[in-house]
């Protein structure tokens, strides 16, 4: 593989900037929520909707956003929705009422749902499949991880100045990325759709299905059983309607034959379970440090930043391991390390020192580095160019739905196992809830084990031919 041109690196820089923006935006808001509630006088229920609105917009429209990139042009969708992201992030910072902030976050989530798979599909179609694309995806995944980790600290610093800066800072970054994208990301011909209609009914039913399922899962810990079951039931009905529509459509939004790929299905299922454990665990650690230990927002952020080692390892260590062992084995190793991380934290005590927590956090960063990038490769490998946006949308939908599922599950178990505000009772709740991410990681590892035999030979074959070629490209992430 010849060295990438400066323009190619520029394109990758733009796309990495966009995924970094999405990660830092979410992380900064997490640490700013208490300040937002105090300033706008929001109730706990309203405050929860600040996060829920983004989750619904992001998770609910991701699949539609991925397909839109394939149908209407990846660069066009990326630039358009990056602009929307910029505008509504700024409007969120100007909000004077809770409902204004909630609406702004919903539209910001929708814009991210269209922007993110468009960016990923630009990578998977601009870089040749194999070592070149894999290298780009490892750098991309490392940047995504870095955005979330750095966002925790930056959010704490900005919130100490004023919570509105948590929204204004992404505006400046978005504008820089937008200008650079217009200059560097090449225009491409409008996709040929002669004789093909746009599957509006399929788009409506799948979006309704995902929105309802995400809403039901995300709100499960905050509403009654009847409401949750009703919402999930409506989501499943919408999903069944979507499948029926796609089977009869001459130009389906989602070609159902795509799901005949065992590796793609496994990658999405593993992504869902991995995200459930990863985000559920981080949520519990933050609760432990803030509620039980009384740590400040900034101190908690600095404690968690060690997980961000994945931003360094993803583009450096992970490619070497994939070249040697193949994607399937590296993913499996990452899942086992995630389970080990959660297991190490299970005996957490009321007076644990940071060195006692450190092994769990550093192992989790390593686990993310091993799993995330290779999952992105497997989920898009071998997919037709005209369906790359859809494949990316599927993967990110799985991640988002998994995150909502994990957060809802750990919250429900934590609440059920905590019978008072006493430190001992809080600790009991954390111990019970920590079993959820451990179970999710073990289940993900079980799913990953099925791919070891089928992918090992092919992965080694690809790797052996790629090792020498990859050695010619050496660029710092």
């Amino acid at each position: 593989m010849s060295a990438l041109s400066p323009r190619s690196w520029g394109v990758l820089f733009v796309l990495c900037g966009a995924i970094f923006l999405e990660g830092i935006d979410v992380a900064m808001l997490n640490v700013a929520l208490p300040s937002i509630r105090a300033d706008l006088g929001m109730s706990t229920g309203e405050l929860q909707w600040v996060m829920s609105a983004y989750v619904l917009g992001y998770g609910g429209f991701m699949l539609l956003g991925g397909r839109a990139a394939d149908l209407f042009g990846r660069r066009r969708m990326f630039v358009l929705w990056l602009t929307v992201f910029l505008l509504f992030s700024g409007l969120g910072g100007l909000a004077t009422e809770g409902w204004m902030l909630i609406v702004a976050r919903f539209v910001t989530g929708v814009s991210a749902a269209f922007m993110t798979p468009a960016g990923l599909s630009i990578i998977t179609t601009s870089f040749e499949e194999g070592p070149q694309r894999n290298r780009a995806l490892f750098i991309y995944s490392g940047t995504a991880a870095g955005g979330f980790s750095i966002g925790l600290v930056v959010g704490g610093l900005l919130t100490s100045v004023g919570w509105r800066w948590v929204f204004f800072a992404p505006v400046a970054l978005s504008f820089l990325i937008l200008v650079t994208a217009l200059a560097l990301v090449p225009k491409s011909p409008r996709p040929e759709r002669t004789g093909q209609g746009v599957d509006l009914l399929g788009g409506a039913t799948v979006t309704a299905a995902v929105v309802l399922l995400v809403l039901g899962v995300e709100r499960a810990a905050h509403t009654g059983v009847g409401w949750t079951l009703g919402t999930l039931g409506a989501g499943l009905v919408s999903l069944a309607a979507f499948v029926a529509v796609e089977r009869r459509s001459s130009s389906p939004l989602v070609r159902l034959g795509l799901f005949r790929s065992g590796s793609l299905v496994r990658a999405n299922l593993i992504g869902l379970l991995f995200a459930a454990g990863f985000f559920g665990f981080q949520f519990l650690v933050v609760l432990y440090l803030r509620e039980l230990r009384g740590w400040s927002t900034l101190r908690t952020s600095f404690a968690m930043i060690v997980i961000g080692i994945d931003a360094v390892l993803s583009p450096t260590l992970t490619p070497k391991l994939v070249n040697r062992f193949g994607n399937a084995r590296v993913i499996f190793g990452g899942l086992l390390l995630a389970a080990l991380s959660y297991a190490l934290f299970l005996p957490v005590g009321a007076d644990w020192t940071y060195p006692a927590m450190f092994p769990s956090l550093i192992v989790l960063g390593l686990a993310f580095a091993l799993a995330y990038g290779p999952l992105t490769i497997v989920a898009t490998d071998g997919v037709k160019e005209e369906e790359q946006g859809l494949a990316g949308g599927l993967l990110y939908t799985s991640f988002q739905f998994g995150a909502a599922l994990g957060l809802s599950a750990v919250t429900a178990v934590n609440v059920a196992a905590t019978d008072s505000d006493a430190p001992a009772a809080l600790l009991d709740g954390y111990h019970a809830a920590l079993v959820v991410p451990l179970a999710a990681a073990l289940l993900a590892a079980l799913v990953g084990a099925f791919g070891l035999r089928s992918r090992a030979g092919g992965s080694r074959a690809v790797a052996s031919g790629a090792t020498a070629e990859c050695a010619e490209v050496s660029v710092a992430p």
Side-chain angles (χ1 to χ4, degrees), residues 17-33 36 50-51 54-55 58 85-86 88-90 92-93 101 104-112 115 144 146-152 154-155 158 163-171 173-174:
I19 197 66
F20 179 85
L21 171 69
E22 192 276 326
I24 200 172
D25 175 82
V26 174
M28 289 194 302
L29 181 60
N30 280 337
V31 299
L33 288 176
I36 293 173
V50 174
M51 292 301 297
Y54 184 88
V55 169
Y58 193 20
F85 188 99
L86 183 157
F88 278 86
S89 183
L101 183 57
R105 290 306 294 170
F106 176 75
V107 179
T108 304
V110 172
S111 63
M115 176 182 72
F148 189 82
S149 303
I150 294 172
L152 291 173
V154 174
L158 291 177
W163 66 265
R164 296 184 187 276
W165 285 102
V166 166
F167 294 91
F168 295 149
V171 171
L173 182 57
S174 300

Side-chain angles (χ1 to χ4, degrees), residues 6 28 30 115 123 126 165 205 223 226 232 273 280 285 317 366 470:
M28 289 194 302
N30 280 337
M115 176 182 72
I123 290 180
S126 299
W165 285 102
T205 52
T223 57
L232 293 176
L273 292 167
V285 173
L317 174 64
L366 178 58
C470 272

Side-chain angles (χ1 to χ4, degrees), residues 284-301:
L284 290 172
V285 173
V286 170
L287 283 183
Y288 166 73
L289 295 177
R290 295 295 308 278
E291 290 185 346
L292 184 62
R293 305 300 298 276
W295 286 21
S296 67
T297 299
L298 197 56
R299 187 182 181 189
T300 300
S301 299

Side-chain angles (χ1 to χ4, degrees), residues 400-421:
Q400 194 65 25
F401 188 76
L405 183 63
L407 290 170
S408 178
V410 298
T411 300
V413 173
N414 183 40
V415 170
T418 306
D419 54 14
S420 73
D421 293 331

Side-chain angles (χ1 to χ4, degrees), residues 420-447:
S420 73
D421 293 331
L426 292 175
L427 198 59
D428 288 341
Y430 302 145
H431 284 153
L434 282 167
V435 175
V436 174
L438 176 59
L442 291 174
L443 186 56
L446 178 62
V447 175

